[in-house]
Amino acid sequence: EILIGLVGSEMCKETDQITRALIAKIATTRIEKGWTQAELGKRTGLSQTIIAKIESLEYMPLLETFIKLELALGLNDMINTK
């Protein structure tokens, strides 16, 4: 399952702030590259609908989805998994 629920629902405040910052960076970088949500979806294997729900903070992606987005956008230092 790619989505785990609404951002902010039962999440601690700090985690919510970090998540929102990561999602904002993803959306900003996508726009700076001139990519549509559909283009980012093609590059990650996610649908445009899922990208839209993530960017609108309707859903929070799992870590593996954040990593897919990070790699597609060239944000190699956004999430340090080491």
Side-chain angles (χ1 to χ4, degrees):
E1 185 72 5
I2 293 172
L3 306 174
I4 62 171
L6 295 172
V7 172
S9 63
E10 301 181 25
M11 292 176 62
C12 74
K13 190 173 184 176
E14 184 177 330
T15 300
D16 189 47
Q17 290 172 344
I18 292 167
T19 300
R20 288 173 184 273
L22 290 171
I23 291 170
K25 181 66 175 173
I26 288 165
T28 299
T29 303
R30 176 186 63 76
I31 292 165
E32 287 172 354
K33 289 182 173 285
W35 295 356
T36 63
Q37 291 174 340
E39 176 65 24
L40 180 55
K42 287 178 189 174
R43 292 172 182 260
T44 59
L46 302 170
S47 71
Q48 181 276 326
T49 302
I50 296 299
I51 301 294
K53 286 183 177 188
I54 291 168
E55 289 186 1
S56 68
L57 303 174
E58 187 175 344
Y59 288 103
M60 184 185 78
L62 295 172
L63 180 59
E64 73 178 66
T65 303
F66 269 125
I67 292 169
K68 284 181 185 180
L69 293 164
E70 168 192 43
L71 293 173
L73 291 164
L75 298 171
N76 300 334
D77 293 329
M78 188 172 81
I79 300 173
N80 186 351
T81 57
K82 293 181 183 179

